[in-house]
Amino acid sequence: MSEVVVKTRVRLARNLKDYPFECRLNADEKKEIAEKVCKILEKSEYDFTRYDMEKLSQVDKIALVERHLISPEFVSNNAGAVALISSNEEISIMLNEEDHIRLQIIKNGLFLEEAYEIADKLDDILSEKLEFAFSEKLGYLTQCPTNLGTAMRASVMLHLPALQKSHAVVRIGNNLSKLGLTIRGMYGESSKPSGALYQLSNQVTLGISEKAAIENLKNITNQLITQEIKSRASLSSDISVVDTVSRSLGILKTARIISSDEAMNLLSNVRFGVSVKLLETLSLDSIDELICEIQPASIMKKYGTELTVSERDIKRADFLREKLN
Amino acid sequence: MSEVVVKTRVRLARNLKDYPFECRLNADEKKEIAEKVCKILEKSEYDFTRYDMEKLSQVDKIALVERHLISPEFVSNNAGAVALISSNEEISIMLNEEDHIRLQIIKNGLFLEEAYEIADKLDDILSEKLEFAFSEKLGYLTQCPTNLGTAMRASVMLHLPALQKSHAVVRIGNNLSKLGLTIRGMYGESSKPSGALYQLSNQVTLGISEKAAIENLKNITNQLITQEIKSRASLSSDISVVDTVSRSLGILKTARIISSDEAMNLLSNVRFGVSVKLLETLSLDSIDELICEIQPASIMKKYGTELTVSERDIKRADFLREKLN
């Protein structure tokens, strides 16, 4: 149901047994770890591009964050901090983020098992050559104790315009923690929901298998999909909602200056409109792509890194008019 | 300069010598007066349609107000209240409004002398057959003493988006009374300015000739045109103004429900955009026509008199999308 589930993400954290955790590593040790991992993966079937954080500009780093390929925290890491990103951007591996290795699989739509399978395979490739910090009792050892155990975080990015409109997301969020899940903004911890995009993820990594955690997340996701679709159906016949959807596309097609926040909200309305067949000429994929492309650093990468905020807002409007007209 | 002057209007008030003023007339006397005037004009070169107020529905009456063909006050007049409207809607004559005869000439654009000439000609036709209440000392006698003298009101409907934006209209309005002029909303006395449309008219009818009053109004109008055009020029390069103009057309083309107030303001922005060549595909005339056609009673005349406010707002949006796309 890609109307509701924009992306699936599975992330595994691993640390090498013979090194202290990241916060205790010096630059040389970080580089050593990075080289070891890179060397193994170079020989794998995957085609990775290597990004050394210390060599990237701030804009390039933030553009990777906007595409969900690295974490916001990774931007401030430097020496020895390396990201390996597969050509289709489905796999990204951060080395020396909070843990020595964080491997992440992203898929469009709801594909939790499939994403986990790829993560598991990469984990096998690495564990053949590397000895991970592991305890029989605690499972994988991680710098932050909240990840101990499976060290797996599985998440789905959900588009919930209808549940947001009815304020149901807040109520749902309050209940989810009892189920070992959490829901938050699209850029993870402490980010605000923008464009009705939410990230639902498992919180519990200890005392539960990867499969069980994924099963749990999938069940709740399916429940949310059902609720969202049901709410959308009743909204889609409401003339004020139809009006909002239609105007949103009208504004995106004609604005000459637009902030990323406003664009996100309008694109969210349009995405909703496409999903309930109010708008027929656009695809969900093209809107999801736009949602990435209109982010500030992505605009700067395209049009120039020296842009002021209002110049960027003008370029964003130009870009949207070009893409949508 | 029809970019600024939407319409010119000249109105003459006349009363028959042998009858009391309108507030003292009974229904029979009103009908007598109406018949007399109608009979004279039937034989004239003009092709009038006759509207008896007591036979018109409320919606039909208000639609005439929206087209500036009768006054809002005339809507509540009944027996003997007759409007004669020429086929091109340039001439409208109200019988038994505040005065026995109120004849009005409307022209698109700034044509004060031309409008006055037609009014004068009609006045001649009528005065050949009718004796008007006239005093050598006071001029034409009218029910309301503020019209004594020439009993002429000349006005121009001005589109002043730039002067409104800079709040200059208020300052200008305060100075105009010293010059014997007044500026107010588009539907005359006590109406609020909507869509940056204002009505500038002469206030003084005593001790000044028709020609002098028109000359005075024309001079001030030309000054306002110059100020407005100058202000527009500086606004038209402001990206936030360009954005507003572009979005306004975008919203008009896509809204599914829209109030007359919102539509007026958006059309005003579009009208400004056309005048400064930001929008190339529309004409001022077509927008001025839309400004009339989206008024509540005009929509009801077109789509049904039993419409609720929100049904009307939906029909208005449908109408605008159809006209603009």
Side-chain angles (χ1 to χ4, degrees), chain B residues 137-198:
Chain B
K137 199 176 162 200
L138 294 170
Y140 291 102
L141 302 177
T142 51
Q143 180 165 301
C144 178
T146 58
N147 292 316
L148 281 175
T150 60
M152 182 196 75
R153 186 83 70 223
S155 68
V156 284
M157 193 203 284
L158 301 168
H159 187 223
L160 303 175
L163 293 179
Q164 179 178 274
K165 197 176 157 72
S166 65
H167 306 291
V169 178
V170 178
R171 181 177 44 73
I172 290 165
N174 293 338
N175 293 328
L176 283 174
S177 59
K178 298 171 206 156
L179 302 165
L181 299 174
T182 186
I183 194 163
R184 51 198 180 187
M186 70 180 278
Y187 289 110
E189 288 184 57
S190 80
S191 76
K192 276 192 200 160
S194 175
L197 289 169
Y198 293 86

Side-chain angles (χ1 to χ4, degrees), chain A residues 239-240 242-243 246-247 249-251 254-258 262 314 321, chain B residues 239-240 242-243 246-247 249-251 254-258 262 314 321:
Chain A
I239 183 69
S240 78
V242 175
D243 181 60
S246 183
R247 286 174 183 232
L249 183 56
I251 294 170
T254 52
R256 303 291 296 258
I257 180 162
I258 194 166
E262 187 188 4
I314 292 170
R321 289 203 314 286
Chain B
I239 182 70
S240 79
V242 175
D243 181 61
S246 183
R247 286 174 183 233
L249 183 56
I251 294 169
T254 51
R256 302 291 296 256
I257 180 164
I258 194 165
E262 187 188 5
I314 291 169
R321 288 204 313 288

Side-chain angles (χ1 to χ4, degrees), chain B residues 5-23:
Chain B
V5 183
V6 181
K7 283 181 202 291
T8 297
R9 179 154 50 162
V10 169
R11 185 265 287 159
L12 300 181
R14 296 291 183 260
N15 289 281
L16 305 194
K17 195 186 163 195
D18 300 331
Y19 291 84
F21 285 131
E22 192 268 347
C23 63

Side-chain angles (χ1 to χ4, degrees), chain B residues 98-109:
Chain B
E98 189 181 279
D99 294 296
H100 298 157
I101 304 170
R102 287 205 158 188
L103 58 89
Q104 170 188 269
I105 315 301
I106 304 177
K107 283 192 160 281
N108 291 335

Side-chain angles (χ1 to χ4, degrees), chain A residues 39 67 99 187 215 325:
Chain A
K39 215 171 147 189
R67 301 188 74 79
D99 295 295
Y187 290 110
E215 193 60 28
N325 281 305

Side-chain angles (χ1 to χ4, degrees), chain B residues 1 52 231 293 305:
Chain B
M1 293 307 253
D52 284 76
S231 300
E293 291 181 305
T305 54

Side-chain angles (χ1 to χ4, degrees), chain A residues 158-294:
Chain A
L158 301 168
H159 187 224
L160 303 175
L163 293 179
Q164 179 177 274
K165 197 176 157 70
S166 64
H167 306 291
V169 177
V170 178
R171 181 177 44 74
I172 291 164
N174 293 338
N175 292 329
L176 283 173
S177 60
K178 298 172 204 154
L179 302 164
L181 298 174
T182 186
I183 193 162
R184 52 198 180 188
M186 72 180 278
Y187 290 110
E189 288 183 56
S190 80
S191 76
K192 276 192 201 159
S194 174
L197 289 169
Y198 293 86
Q199 192 177 296
L200 175 71
S201 60
N202 70 315
Q203 280 300 87
V204 180
T205 51
L206 207 55
I208 181 170
S209 72
E210 289 87 348
K211 297 242 154 95
I214 279 176
E215 193 60 28
N216 184 28
L217 177 61
K218 197 174 161 184
N219 286 340
I220 303 295
T221 299
N222 280 323
Q223 285 178 38
L224 282 177
I225 292 172
T226 307
Q227 286 183 52
E228 170 68 20
I229 297 273
K230 201 172 143 192
S231 301
R232 284 188 195 183
S234 65
L235 284 182
S236 66
S237 56
D238 176 339
I239 183 69
S240 78
V241 171
V242 175
D243 181 60
T244 301
V245 165
S246 183
R247 286 174 183 232
S248 294
L249 183 56
I251 294 170
L252 287 167
K253 281 181 170 181
T254 52
R256 303 291 296 258
I257 180 162
I258 194 166
S259 69
S260 56
D261 255 9
E262 187 188 4
M264 280 294 285
N265 287 326
L266 296 174
L267 284 169
S268 169
N269 295 337
V270 168
R271 195 182 194 284
F272 163 79
V274 171
S275 83
V276 295
K277 311 263 186 290
L278 287 172
L279 300 172
E280 306 271 7
T281 55
L282 290 162
S283 71
L284 291 175
D285 284 352
S286 65
I287 298 162
D288 292 342
E289 188 59 22
L290 285 178
I291 286 172
C292 275
E293 289 180 306
I294 57 137

Side-chain angles (χ1 to χ4, degrees), chain B residues 43-91:
Chain B
K43 292 174 194 155
S44 74
E45 66 192 274
Y46 301 100
D47 182 27
F48 289 109
T49 302
R50 175 178 171 153
Y51 297 92
D52 284 76
M53 286 303 114
E54 61 184 340
K55 293 181 191 160
L56 287 191
S57 71
Q58 190 73 359
V59 167
D60 284 334
K61 290 180 187 181
I62 296 172
L64 291 175
V65 174
E66 290 171 355
R67 301 188 75 77
H68 303 278
L69 295 168
I70 66 170
S71 64
E73 295 72 23
F74 202 49
V75 168
S76 47
N77 287 20
N78 275 306
V82 173
L84 297 170
I85 297 169
S86 68
S87 53
N88 62 0
E89 300 195 342
E90 203 173 272
I91 307 171

